[in-house]
Amino acid sequence: MTDVSDVIPAPRAVDESVPGEVRLGADTTLWAAPGTGTAERWLRSTLGAALGLGLPPGPQDARDAVRLVLDDTLEAEAYRLRAVAGEGVEIRGGDAAGVFWGAQTLRQLLGPDAFRRAPVRPGTTYALAQQVIEDAPRFPWRGVMLDVSRHFLPKDAVLRHLDLMAAHKLNVFHFHLTDDQGWRVQIKKYPRLTEVGSWRARTKFGHRASPLWDEKPHGGFYTQDDIREIVAYAAERHIAVVPEIDVPGHSQAAIAAYPELGNTDVVDTASLSVWDNWGVSENVLAPTDNTLRFYEGVFEELLDLFPADPARFPRFSEFFHIGGDECPKGQWRQSPAVQARIEELGLADEDALQSWFVRHFDNWLSARGRRLIGWDEILEGGLAEGAAVSSWRGYEGGVTAARAGHDVVMCPEQHVYLDYRQDGGEDEPVPIAYVRTLEDVYRFEPVPAGLTPEQEAHVLGTQANVWTEVMEDRARVDYQTFPRLAAFAEVAWSALPAPAARDFAAFERRMAAHYGRLDALGVAYRPPTGPLPWQKRPGVLGRPSEGAPPNV
């Protein structure tokens, strides 16, 4: 039996004042009110399968049953879990998502066995203490960005990632599908995007200063049915999927597939291949009508693959991420065609041209009932009313966006970029940037000082970003992501005190129990004592930065 104090993220309120326990076993039935089907299906297929409990349908008043109820007196995503001796477990949710999050808490209360795929102790009756848990999230947007462009992850790894998100009550999956190093989604109108753009001949091993190369071709992509499956799987777990297609920078893979998309008057784009190195490529999209029509065709197919029907898909599914960051202007400055385009449009310079490019798709998406979101560079030049900002270079972009009336997701690289190294020791594999420990992430505060209450309301929430330049497989993604994602999940969900007042020692004690859950799930996390021998990458250069990161 797990102590409720071990639950992560920490619940808002717990009452264990009445002694007693609830026992769940072979005779336990499940009653589900209309509208709670996602939690009902998950309890049978996942929790029931792990513990060997059939959870057959039964009457609402059955003894020692599990009951799922909607309760419109609770707020969105909130839940109340009551475990009462002789009655069983009742999970009431303000909506279907709230019931589902309550089911995730029930899983933790039942111990690590509940995190396996099949029973290891068949016939066991599982007990939990009599208690009442009242809980609700601090932020509506609790996201994770996964980059599958730099290193491709197969579909089953993406589905597993969604399960790990759900287990931590995270609800927005930012799916980074394109970049200079690979295009990962099938577009039927433009088959060369995957025929050519999804494969690179070799891959830099380590940071771009590393002399090492993996000479094997690397690549892969998701078919349109793969994407439909991923989106449906996420929706069953109340997770919105927000795709990212990068424009106008980070586009060399697309240009390699369709050279006419590049700046052909200054670069032999026909000779370009998918980039095999890291960093920011100078090869960016040409701001032509042909390029606009091309990406409109791409987006038309993607809007069908990532639907936004509020009756069927979670909140935030209407968002579409267009990148908009790190667009070098060198080729635009050198290109007579681009300079003529700037003059034709009456723009001041190349920076204004990038803003024009972003605003075109802002208006295009808005006309189709969707909302554009992009990295904080898209603020330069102004945005349409409904556009939102991912604030990655620090807090400043988010503050600017909120003050201008735009919604913002706080994901400052200095705090929640999980490719950053976890310790200053020499054994950290391919050390990148500043040290961001488990405690550092736990003390991250998504809402910066200086915003009015009205401006704070524009902070939709927060997001951790998993960039995969130096993560060549699922095990490396696990190592960089966990256990820090557990700390981030608590920051995003729980009503924590100010960073300095947070009880990290208590969180560490809860993590001692949580490591058992991660072990049962097969997560190759970084142990508290440091990397295991096979998690190290001796001799592979990274890019460490010393000292504390700037809090900008």
Side-chain angles (χ1 to χ4, degrees), residues 445-502:
E445 172 49 50
V447 180
L451 295 178
T452 67
E454 182 181 4
Q455 292 163 354
E456 284 188 5
H458 282 293
V459 179
L460 298 176
T462 183
Q463 179 173 292
N465 292 340
V466 182
W467 298 104
T468 61
E469 286 94 335
V470 298
M471 301 182 213
E472 70 276 10
D473 55 30
R474 193 185 83 173
R476 279 287 289 126
V477 172
D478 277 4
Y479 179 91
Q480 292 298 135
T481 304
F482 289 97
R484 292 183 295 180
L485 194 67
F488 172 80
E490 185 148 309
V491 168
W493 176 278
S494 304
L496 298 177
R502 293 175 189 172

Side-chain angles (χ1 to χ4, degrees), residues 9 29 65 70 85 215 229-230 245 280 295 309 318 322 331 337 341 373 393 428 432 446 455 491 515 521 528:
T29 58
L70 292 178
E215 296 292 345
E229 180 183 0
I230 288 167
I245 303 296
V280 180
Y295 275 88
D309 180 355
E318 72 273 17
I322 56 88
Q331 291 182 1
R341 183 70 153 165
I373 185 169
R393 291 180 294 181
E428 285 304 306
I432 298 296
Q455 292 163 354
V491 168
Y515 286 123
L521 287 166

